[in-house]
Each structure stands twice: as C-alpha cells, then as structure tokens.
Amino acid sequence: MTAVLLASAGTSSFPVLPALVVTPVLGALLVMVLPRRRPELLKLVAVSTAVVTGAMSFWLLSAFKVGDPGFQFLSETPWMGDLGVSLLFGIDGISLFLVILTGLLFPVALLAIDPGHDARPYYAWMLLLEAGVMGVFGALDLIVFFLCFEVVLVPMYFLIGRWGHGNSARAATKFFLYTMAGSALMLVGILALAFLHADATGADISFDLVAIAEAQSLSTGAARWIFAAFALAFAVKVPIFPLHTWLPDAHTEAPTAGSVILAGVLLKLGTYGFLRFGLYLFPEASHYFAPVFLTLGVVGIVYGAIVATMQADLKRLVAYSSVAHLGFIILGTFALNTEGIEGGLLQMVNHGVSTGALFLLVGMIYERRGTRMIGDLGGLQKSAPVLAGVFMVVMLSSIGLPGLNGFVGEFLVLLGAFNAHRWWAVAAAGGVILAALYLLWAYQRVFHGPAEGDNADMPDLGLREALVLAPLLALIVFMGVYPKPVIERMEPAVDSLVRHVEFHVDGFSEPVSQMGSEIGPLDDSHGEHG
Amino acid sequence: MIAALTTPYVAWWALVPLITFAVAGFLLLTVASLVRRLPAVLAPAWTAVAGLGVLLYLVPMWSRVGRDGADSFLAGTVGVDRSSIFVTGILAVAVIAAALISRDYLPREDLPGVELYVLLLMSAAGGVVMASANDLIVLFLGLEILSIAVYVLAALHLRRIESQEAALKYFLLGAFSSAFLLYGIALVYGATGSTNMVRISAFLAQNVLVDDAMLLAGLGLLLVGLGFKVAVVPFHAWTPDVYQGAPTPVVAWMAAGVKAAGFAALMRVFVLTLGTYVSDWRPAFQVIAAATVLAGAVVAVVQTDVKRMLAYSSIVHAGFILVGLQAATDRGNSSVLAYLAVYAFLTVGSFAVVTVVSGTGDASHGLDAYRGMGRRHPALAGVFTVLLLGQAGIPFTGGFVVKLGVLAAAVDGGAYWLAGVAMLAAAVAAFVYLRLLVAMYLEEVPSGTETSGAVPLGALVVAVASAVIVLVVGLVPGPLLDLARDAVPVLVAG
C-alpha cells in the first residue's frame, strides 16, 4: 500500500516533511550546547532555525501540485516494526496551510519577544514545540500523530510555567492535565481502530491513516465509539464549549510568545484533528454526531462572545474571542459540505494570523504599560498612533470585515452552515455581531478617550516590532482581497473529503454542488493511492 | 556390585548467571570477614563487575538458546528460555545500578560497607531462580532466597527507626504471603498431582477436572502470594511504608529487581502453567489491574513525600504491567518484558536522584528538598525530568513505547475498558510527576536551604545512563521491542 503510495507520488527527492520536524530539533540541541551567557547568540540561532524551517514550509507552497486532492511530499521510514508503526509523513491541501502558518508564526514569535530570563531553555522549548506541531500536521500514521499531539504538551507546559505571569504554575498544570486526560482515550481508540481494521481486512497491523480510512472496515457501532474517543481529545484541544475552561487561564498566564503559538497553532491541532482524523476516518460517525458539534459550536460562538464582552483583562478578552472563533471553525467543519469545511479551514489560518497578531499587540502594550487591564488603559491612540492603527486592522480582521481575511472564512462557514442547517447559521451570525461589539468596545476603551498618566507618553511601535507585524498584516489584507491562491489549493482536498463523507453515509446527499457520485470518492480522489 | 547412580542432567552453561551471583556473594562475605579493612571501593566494584559479567555472559547464552531452543534440566525443575535470560538481564542491570548508588550512600550514612552488597547478590541469585523455575517448589525457593535477603536489606539503615519499621512490616507481610503461596502450591499439587509446571500444564490440557474447586482455590492463593511481591492492589499496602523507610539504594533494587522477578514468576505460573484456565483467572487479573492503576494513581496524588509518591507510582506501573499480562498472549508477554526492562531503568534512575537529594541521614524526601533544583543542579534536574516524563509515559520516551505495548496487547485481546481505565489513571498519575517538575522548576528555593554540594559519581552515572537509555528507547524502540518479542517465554520438558 504505502510502497505504491510512494512510487506514484514520485518523491524520491529531499524528504522535506521530516526535515521540517528534524530542523527545529537540531536547532534546539544546538541552542542547548551554546554558552548560557550569550543570549543574543542564542536568539540568533533560534530565530535562524525557525526562519529556515519557515522557508522550507513556504517552499512547499510553490512545490505543491495545485488540483491534486491526494497527499504529496510523502516519505516513510519504518519505526516500530512489530507494531506496524512507521514514520509516515505527507500533506494535502488541508494540512498545507497549517504547516505554513506554523512556519510563519514561530519566527515571528521568537523574533518579537525576548524571554527575559533563562533564554537557553526557552529557545530550546520553543523549537521543540515547533517540531512537535510540524509533526502533528505532517503525520499520516496514527501513532506518530498521537505522539506529536501529546508531546507538544511538554514544551508548552514549561513555556507557560516558567516564563508566564501570575499563577502560571497552576495554569500550566491545568493545561497539561486537561489535555492529557482528554487524549488518554484517543490512544485506546487508535489501538482499537487498528486492531479491528486488521481483523476485518486480514492485513498486518498498521496505523496507516489512508489505508484505514479508505477501507472503512469497522462496524457502525465500533466506529461511533472510537470516534467519540477521538472527538473527546480534539474537543479538549480545540477547545469546544464545555471543555474550554483551561484556555483562558493558559492564555492569560502564558508569556506573549506562548499565547501567540497557543492561539495561532496549538488550538488548530484539535480542529485539524477533527478534519483529518474525525471526518476522514469516521465519516458515518461524524455525520451521526454532527448535530452535537454544530450545537456546541454555536453555543461556543455566542458564549465566547458574551463572556469576552465582560472581560476586564485585554488578554483574557482575546482568549475568549478565540473560543468564539473556534466555534465558527467547528460549525463549518460539521456542516459537512465543501463551503463549510473550506471556510473552517480558512478560519483556522485566519484565526492563527489575526489572534496571533492580537496577542503580540497585547503583549507589546503590556511590555510598555505593565498592565493589561482595560480600565487602566485609555487614549493610547494619541501616544502610539501606529500601534493603534495596526490594532485596528487586526481587530477588524478578527471581526470579519469584508476586504480582510476574516470575512472570507466566516462567510464561507455561514454559507455552508446555512446550506446544511439553516437555524444554526442564523444563530451563529448573531455571534458575528457580538464580536463586533466586544472588540470595538474594547478598542474604544483602550485607544480612545483622554490619555492620563503613563498612557499619555507610551512609546509607539519600534522598528523590530513593526517588521514582525508586517508579514501578518500583509497576510490579513492579501487573504481578504485575493483568497484564490489559498482556496484553489485547499479545494481539491476538501472536495474529496466531502465526497468521502457523502459516499460512506447512507442517504446523505447535501449539498448539491458538484457531486461527482458516478465516479465515487474511492476511485476519483485517492485513485493513485489504491 | 555397585549400581550406577544416574544423576540428573545439568546444563551448567545455563546456570552460570545464578552461580556467578551466588559465588560472588559468598566470596565477598568470606573475604570481608577474613580481611580486617577492605578498601571501600572493593565491594561495590566487585558487585558491579559480577553484574556486568552476567550481563555479558547473557549474550552468548541468548544466541545459544535461539539456536538450540529452550532447555530444561535438573529433572525438569529448572528451565532456560529467552524470557529467563531477558529477566536475568534486568536483574543484572538493577544489581549494577544499586551497587553504584550504594557506593557513595553507605559512607555518607556511615553504614557498614559489605553486607548490602552480599545481600544484593544473594537476592539477585534468588531472582534468577524465580525467572527460570520450571517447578513451583523451585519457584518458592527462589522467592524465599530473594525475599529474605531483601527483608534484611530493608533494615540495613541501623540508625533510622523507619528503616527498622519498614523491614518489620515487610517481613511480617512477606512471611504471610509466602505462606499463601506455599498453600497455593499445595492445593495445585493436590488438584493436578504435580508441582512441575510442565506436567501441570500438560495435565490440565489433557484432563478436564470435574470438580476444580481445589485448583481454583490454589490458583487464588498463588495470585495472592505473587501479587504481594509485585505490589498490586489489594496486596500493595506495605509498599509506601517500606519504600519510605528502607535505604534508598535498596528501594531501587526492590522496585526494579524484585518486581521484575515477581512478574516473571506470575507469567510462568499463570500464563504458561495455568494457561488453560485463563478464562478463570483473567477476570480477576483485569479487576486487580484496574484497581491497581486507579488506586495507585489517585493515592499518589495526595502524597507529600517523594519516596511515597514514587512508591505509589510503582504501584501504577505494576497495574500497567498486569494490563499486558492479563492478555495471556505472545504480544502481551513481550509487552510485559519490555515494560519491565524500561521500568527498571526509569526506577533505578529516579531513585538514584532521590538518593542524592535525600542528603545525609536519608531523610529529606519532602517536596521542599526538590524546590529550585532546576537552578541548583540543572544537570541532575534535567535528568530527573527525563525520567519523570518517562514514568508519565510522555511520547518519545521509553515509558510511552512500553505503555503502548501493554495497551496494544489489552486492546488486541478485546479488553477495551481496561485499556481506557489504564489511560485515565495514567493521566491522573501525570499530576504526580508534574508536581515534582513544578517544584524543581517553577518554585523558588526556600530560604534556609543551603545549596547541596557535588553530586556523587555513582548515582550520577546511574541517573544519566538511565535517562539516556529511556530517551534512546523512546526514539529508536525497535531493538528493545525485537528483543522482547524474541524473549517470549516457553515451558519445555527436560
């Protein structure tokens, strides 16, 4: 199976996906052997490692074959022979942009913020975190995916705990235990899935995602149970509404770089997991449970927005806005149509860029003023007009103003949700209005009005800060005005995923757009893998 | 006319590890009692060399058994197969580690310098007997040789009342459990007509007992006796007290070595000998495994003494091993062996660090002693971090690889609920390891704590080597898994 996969994809060339994982690890090792007293050298090494990794991920964009719904850049190395685990990597249109987002945000976060103390372990943990995230987005073996999914907890735990603010040890522990408990059952689910698949097909035990997903050899009942085990892990990671309580604490106590990465990348592990390992592996169960997730998604949108409105801490406000945004992504994903999933996927990237930028800006305000309390701030526009302007653009993107990136994603999500489940879309649209409310209100209180005390002479953005924010701003505008390059790379993979779901769900026939059912997803989308 | 006396066949080559441990112990004892002042380094070096020699000898032994197959000798009472070689290897590693940790521990505590090593070697010899017993009586002999030495070892810290208390508790409960085991052997003998494992299993394969109450009672008593040695719920109550009180290097041996020998015995008795009765004992094993992981994890969370935490964490590990064992398949057995190997490294490494931190008097085991360790001893804290993450089963450590193995065995056997319970318990137990990490890195050094001096070499070597091995197994699990797969135990008649 995988041999055919490799041969057909013709990737005897440089194994770029493993390199995306290995490079940051090497960087981290290098950082650990450098002298502790040279923070500038440490930073140089860390940033250049992240830049090299980022450059490789952007290279993927150019090398990516547009219009191919299958996995590209495949590479495989046997690992645990006895258990059939192999280091199998590959990306398609769904994971491509998340890899690129990771490659972009890490250099930005590393460049923008200095840790303040203990620079050496800080950079090492950041780079290991990047390696883990790249592993999650690239892995096509269930065990390897789980390994990377779990291992990112360790660097994040230390980043929050050691370099965070306030009661960071407690927040870090909460984050770690919450997510670890969530994913505990997923490992059992993965094992059950692989063994049941091996029993049903008579094949050797294997954790190959594509093979298991295309075979769909499980009984409906077993698939639903295993899906539930997976879904719990992803729901905690996203986080979906009742399981979100770790997020505000972790975000608020985390250092700025930690928040940027947490919001920008780590929250996507859950939503990506739903797409890649929920819908693809368990189409029938996803359809069966979709109403639950649609409802929780909408609840998250409204709840996140209302709670965000009430926050006195700017960082906590952004954290709760994440809950709302992730509700949109879940809504789009479980609309189970091309528009919804594409919108959700776009929102993943948008949220990473916009919320990442928002956390950076909040961090910059905090660095200058030593407080994030909205009540202590005010009139910052006068002393820091550039910062205010940037904040405005980012905030509008987060609200979903047409012409900026957030609009495209939200619009597609609402469109997809409307086609599939009208009333949920109507309720979610209310969340958009609430988002405008809490963000604009916060902006007004922080940047407008009379500036008193320290607020009057707050320094504006420095050159380094502006340079760090520039690529994010450029992306916000670019993706808002001209999303076609992104969408055309996503679409084939999303289309084939939707048809895969439709094909395996009896009597499920929405939406109507380009069904292609006379070919069927098996032969059409993954033909060259068979 | 003198009749020729036929002596039983003895495969001397297979007895070399046992003889090495025993003779090394006796020689050390003899020399120490004859020579007035031995150089302090002699006894630990001697013990470590004996362990190393055994370890090296296991390599040709391994390939010989691979070539000629498993063997049994001494009238079928002792067997040699790759699983017994594998477990002997674990015992040898634990002996070496305990000897290295003790090298600096005994002078620091001003304790006599030879007895510990002699008893360590004796108890290792007993462990080897357990791992290669083909007869329940021989198994009992091995268990007693191992246990009696460990009772004394636990009491070795003459000036700590906790050490005496630990030894007394361990001895009383241990004597009871030995009695249970012996009674179980008697009942099994009554039901099957033999104490020989091969004959018992053949008898049960060919006969159906109309009334098997006696056999089942014997089976239950065997489970109690062996369950006590490996410390599974509800036979675990001695563990925290004994771990807390006994000298720390001894605890390293108890956790790594005694447990490995105990599980080897459980595997031989239940999976191999009583395999035909698996549907009778498996439910009991499953309930015990679930209770063990849950109780161990939950109670570990509320501990404040690090040695007690690690004691409860060792109970969780025992539960995990049982999760693999109850599958009673080749996959299950090899996962148990792999788990025992990695667990040995995790635990000797951890207790090496604990020995260093405990300070003179072997008394500072509170979390306070670990506060700010990340700053005071970055290297030692880093090593301990790896070991704790390994114990928590974090990916890319050996701990994850072996947890995956036992879970896979359980899931393969259809015990989904047990695998789920075990994973949830692992998440609870993670809190314990996180508390230690928090203390080491996220809490400030309490005022009044003087910075500790240099780290003794022996303990450092053990800790670093264990951490490296745990990491390497996590990244390149193939070799260990292959070894464990090839080490699947078999019973053969002589």
Side-chain angles (χ1 to χ4, degrees):
Chain A
M1 169 72 202
T2 35
V4 183
L5 245 156
L6 291 178
S8 70
T11 44
S12 55
S13 57
F14 181 62
V16 58
L17 293 177
L20 284 175
V21 179
V22 171
T23 311
V25 173
L26 292 180
L29 292 178
L30 185 57
V31 164
M32 282 314 283
V33 298
L34 286 175
R36 173 194 333 213
R37 312 250 169 254
R38 301 277 306 278
E40 72 291 345
L41 185 65
L42 293 170
K43 183 165 185 176
L44 181 71
V45 171
V47 171
S48 9
T49 310
V51 167
V52 169
T53 315
M56 280 195 287
S57 70
F58 273 89
W59 175 81
L60 289 177
L61 192 61
S62 64
F64 190 83
K65 287 200 277 300
V66 185
D68 179 359
F71 290 101
Q72 307 184 22
F73 309 105
L74 288 158
S75 79
E76 183 181 22
T77 323
W79 196 37
M80 290 187 223
D82 211 26
L83 258 180
V85 180
S86 63
L87 298 168
L88 181 59
F89 291 100
I91 55 169
D92 64 356
I94 292 176
S95 39
L96 171 69
F97 289 97
L98 295 169
V99 169
I100 294 171
L101 179 69
T102 310
L104 172 74
L105 281 181
F106 270 91
V108 166
L110 282 169
L111 205 57
I113 305 114
D114 291 332
H117 61 93
D118 295 311
R120 196 163 63 165
Y122 173 84
Y123 289 120
W125 284 128
M126 281 291 275
L127 291 173
L128 288 177
L129 182 61
E130 178 168 23
V133 174
M134 288 292 189
V136 172
F137 291 139
L140 291 183
D141 181 286
L142 293 169
I143 293 288
V144 176
F145 164 76
F146 180 84
L147 282 164
C148 297
F149 189 81
E150 279 278 273
V151 85
V152 293
L153 293 183
V154 179
M156 204 62 222
Y157 169 78
F158 280 103
L159 285 172
I160 297 177
R162 284 184 82 176
W163 291 273
H165 324 279
N167 199 350
S168 58
R170 192 173 162 274
T173 307
K174 192 171 172 183
F175 161 77
F176 192 104
L177 291 178
Y178 229 105
T179 27
M180 185 162 177
S183 47
L185 291 181
M186 182 163 73
L187 182 60
V188 180
I190 290 174
L191 288 168
L193 176 64
F195 280 107
L196 290 174
H197 170 77
D199 281 351
T201 57
D204 280 346
I205 179 85
S206 147
F207 294 89
D208 184 336
L209 167 74
V210 179
I212 296 177
E214 295 297 340
Q216 289 295 322
S217 52
L218 266 62
S219 69
T220 309
R224 284 180 187 170
W225 276 107
I226 298 173
F227 173 80
F230 277 61
L232 180 66
F234 299 143
V236 171
K237 201 85 162 186
V238 171
I240 289 179
F241 163 63
L243 304 171
H244 68 281
T245 50
W246 62 267
L247 179 127
D249 286 348
H251 266 316
T252 317
E253 317 294 355
T256 303
S259 303
V260 172
I261 298 303
L262 194 57
V265 185
L266 286 199
L267 301 186
K268 309 305 174 309
L269 301 187
T271 50
Y272 169 76
F274 269 119
L275 278 181
R276 172 73 80 231
F277 299 91
L279 268 53
Y280 187 37
L281 278 174
F282 311 103
E284 196 281 331
S286 305
H287 179 248
Y288 178 76
F289 284 111
V292 178
F293 289 101
L294 289 169
T295 310
L296 291 178
V298 172
V299 171
I301 293 171
V302 177
Y303 170 87
I306 292 174
V307 179
T309 318
M310 303 295 141
Q311 295 306 313
D313 181 332
L314 199 52
K315 207 169 176 186
R316 245 184 138 76
L317 184 146
V318 180
Y320 273 106
S321 84
S322 286
V323 175
H325 279 114
L326 289 156
F328 266 105
I329 300 174
I330 292 299
L331 183 69
T333 303
F334 282 93
L336 298 179
N337 53 33
T338 308
E339 295 83 8
I341 293 178
E342 222 165 68
L345 200 48
L346 268 176
Q347 271 309 82
M348 288 189 213
V349 180
N350 292 338
H351 176 260
V353 175
S354 309
T355 310
L358 271 181
F359 274 121
L360 275 179
L361 289 163
V362 173
M364 288 167 185
I365 294 175
Y366 181 73
E367 257 177 38
R368 290 166 163 73
R369 292 281 293 103
T371 178
R372 297 183 308 248
M373 291 298 147
I374 297 176
D376 297 342
L377 302 166
L380 298 184
Q381 198 175 27
K382 293 187 187 64
S383 50
V386 182
L387 196 154
V390 174
F391 199 101
M392 175 66 110
V393 175
V394 175
M395 182 197 67
L396 290 175
S397 127
S398 187
I399 293 174
L401 186 80
L404 297 177
N405 61 347
F407 173 74
V408 187
E410 265 177 20
F411 178 74
L412 279 172
V413 167
L414 289 174
L415 187 66
F418 191 82
N419 279 340
H421 306 276
R422 184 155 310 177
W423 292 106
W424 276 286
V426 172
V432 183
I433 300 165
L434 283 172
L437 172 73
Y438 64 78
L439 280 170
L440 285 175
W441 191 34
Y443 182 83
Q444 186 195 356
R445 284 179 291 167
V446 171
F447 288 96
H448 289 178
E452 281 158 10
D454 292 339
N455 291 334
D457 43 47
M458 194 183 84
D460 207 345
L461 285 188
L463 181 64
R464 184 184 77 169
E465 293 167 327
L467 280 179
V468 165
L469 286 166
L472 299 180
L473 277 184
L475 261 181
I476 286 176
V477 176
F478 178 78
M479 281 177 57
V481 178
Y482 187 58
K484 181 169 169 280
V486 179
I487 290 185
E488 74 181 3
R489 282 172 175 77
M490 284 177 180
E491 194 151 275
V494 173
D495 256 348
S496 100
L497 177 63
V498 170
R499 267 175 288 151
H500 174 78
V501 173
E502 287 168 356
F503 183 78
H504 290 289
V505 178
D506 298 332
F508 176 53
S509 61
E510 45 188 333
V512 232
S513 61
Q514 73 273 39
M515 276 285 289
S517 55
E518 72 279 2
I519 309 170
L522 271 173
D523 305 327
D524 183 45
S525 56
H526 294 272
E528 82 265 38
H529 300 155
Chain B
M1 180 77 191
I2 301 165
L5 179 70
T6 45
T7 51
Y9 155 69
V10 181
W12 290 104
W13 60 270
L15 284 175
V16 169
L18 171 64
I19 294 170
T20 310
F21 280 136
V23 169
F26 283 127
L27 269 182
L28 186 59
L29 190 61
T30 316
V31 170
S33 54
L34 294 179
V35 182
R36 193 166 288 269
R37 280 204 83 67
L38 279 179
V41 75
L42 181 84
W46 174 258
T47 313
V49 167
L52 205 60
V54 168
L55 210 50
L56 289 177
Y57 180 75
L58 294 178
V59 178
M61 212 170 141
W62 177 271
S63 47
R64 176 163 182 171
V65 171
R67 193 179 64 235
D68 304 344
D71 199 358
S72 131
F73 49 91
L74 282 168
T77 55
V78 179
V80 55
D81 63 3
R82 280 185 159 181
S83 82
S84 59
I85 299 176
F86 193 92
V87 175
T88 306
I90 297 175
L91 295 171
V93 167
V95 164
I96 297 170
L100 288 177
I101 303 172
S102 308
R103 191 194 77 123
D104 303 291
Y105 177 84
L106 293 178
R108 188 185 82 190
E109 303 294 321
D110 196 20
L111 292 172
V114 177
E115 289 81 349
L116 186 143
Y117 303 101
V118 174
L119 292 164
L120 192 60
L121 288 164
M122 287 301 151
S123 129
V128 175
V129 174
M130 282 171 82
S132 43
N134 256 13
D135 190 292
L136 292 174
I137 297 295
V138 172
L139 181 89
F140 179 75
L141 283 179
L143 185 84
E144 286 299 285
I145 298 170
L146 172 109
S147 303
I148 292 172
V150 177
Y151 300 146
V152 184
L153 278 173
L156 212 66
H157 203 306
L158 307 168
R159 279 175 296 281
R160 281 190 76 214
I161 190 75
E162 295 91 338
S163 178
Q164 314 303 315
E165 182 196 331
L168 193 62
K169 276 183 182 161
Y170 191 37
F171 171 68
L172 284 177
L173 289 170
F176 265 111
S177 83
S178 295
F180 273 109
L181 185 72
L182 210 48
Y183 202 3
I185 294 173
L187 290 181
V188 170
Y189 174 74
T192 62
S194 175
T195 56
N196 188 292
M197 296 186 188
V198 183
R199 272 185 235 138
I200 294 173
S201 99
F203 177 82
L204 292 177
Q206 288 155 9
N207 303 281
V208 176
L209 297 181
V210 181
D211 179 8
D212 57 2
M214 190 196 278
L215 180 68
L216 289 179
L219 202 142
L221 293 174
L222 286 175
L223 178 56
V224 174
L226 292 174
F228 175 87
K229 285 294 159 207
V230 297
V232 291
V233 174
F235 317 114
H236 68 290
W238 59 274
T239 318
D241 289 347
V242 175
Y243 277 31
Q244 188 184 16
T248 314
V250 172
V251 180
W253 163 251
M254 286 167 72
V258 177
K259 204 157 265 192
F263 272 109
L266 266 178
M267 199 150 73
R268 292 186 91 78
V269 171
F270 282 90
V271 181
L272 297 188
T273 311
L274 301 167
T276 41
Y277 267 70
V278 63
S279 54
D280 286 297
W281 56 259
R282 181 182 281 142
F285 270 56
Q286 290 183 338
V287 170
I288 290 178
T292 305
V293 287
L294 282 179
V298 171
V299 184
V301 166
V302 296
Q303 301 303 315
T304 51
D305 181 290
V306 173
K307 265 169 110 179
R308 287 184 84 89
M309 280 183 197
L310 291 177
Y312 279 107
S313 111
S314 89
I315 295 175
V316 179
H317 286 297
F320 259 96
I321 298 173
L322 219 48
V323 168
L325 195 70
Q326 59 79 29
T329 54
D330 280 355
R331 184 185 290 284
N333 292 339
S334 74
S335 75
V336 167
L337 291 169
Y339 204 118
L340 287 172
V342 169
Y343 172 68
F345 286 108
L346 285 172
T347 193
V348 294
S350 302
F351 280 110
V353 176
V354 171
T355 310
V356 174
V357 176
S358 66
T360 311
D362 200 357
S364 25
H365 294 302
L367 270 175
D368 272 344
Y370 293 81
R371 294 225 159 90
M373 201 168 130
R375 270 184 217 295
R376 278 180 292 139
H377 282 304
L380 199 61
V383 167
F384 201 31
T385 303
V386 172
L387 294 166
L388 290 174
L389 293 177
Q391 296 220 33
I394 295 298
F396 300 111
T397 64
F400 178 82
V401 173
V402 294
K403 275 209 168 86
L404 183 68
V406 293
L407 289 175
V411 169
D412 195 16
Y416 302 114
W417 70 273
L418 186 59
V421 167
M423 276 309 286
L424 288 178
V428 176
F431 180 71
V432 179
Y433 310 116
L434 283 189
R435 275 181 76 190
L436 276 165
L437 290 181
V438 167
M440 285 198 298
Y441 288 104
L442 309 182
E443 288 173 0
E444 290 309 310
V445 192
S447 53
T449 325
E450 80 282 25
T451 41
S452 348
V455 178
L457 185 65
L460 189 67
V461 167
V462 172
V464 171
S466 307
V468 168
I469 287 171
V470 166
L471 271 183
V472 168
V473 171
L475 292 170
V476 193
L480 176 78
L481 294 182
D482 288 348
L483 277 181
R485 183 198 57 210
D486 295 342
V488 164
V490 284
L491 278 182
V492 291

